[in-house]
Amino acid sequence: GSPVIYAAPRLRYLLMFTEDEELMQNALDALVCSVVQQARAQGSGLVRKKLLVQRVNGQPVLGSVFEWLLQGAGFVRLPDGLRLYPDPF
């Protein structure tokens, strides 16, 4: 395979290496699964960190075509971006 997504620390920004929406959705679902697994391993420590996507491919995430993909993966819309609240349990 080839890379589909790059996530910066704390998910501040993402880079998508494809325009295929199905691949992007699968990559985002895998990213969320990975973050949830980390939250379970670290307990509440990761949950307290702000996991907020503000930019995708250099553009603001809010109002972009990526906004609904991220919401479909479990992100919640906030005024400054899309936040992920991983459940550590």
Side-chain angles (χ1 to χ4, degrees), residues 4-48:
V4 176
I5 187 172
Y6 168 79
R10 295 193 188 178
L11 306 180
R12 184 170 211 131
Y13 64 88
L14 302 175
L15 292 176
M16 297 290 196
F17 300 110
T18 183
E19 293 183 13
D20 183 322
E21 290 181 10
E22 185 177 347
L23 281 176
M24 285 190 281
Q25 191 66 62
N26 290 338
L28 290 170
D29 291 342
L31 175 66
V32 169
C33 183
S34 173
V35 171
V36 168
Q37 287 177 348
Q38 288 178 3
R40 289 183 180 151
Q42 295 180 14
S44 62
L46 181 66
V47 176
R48 283 189 237 136

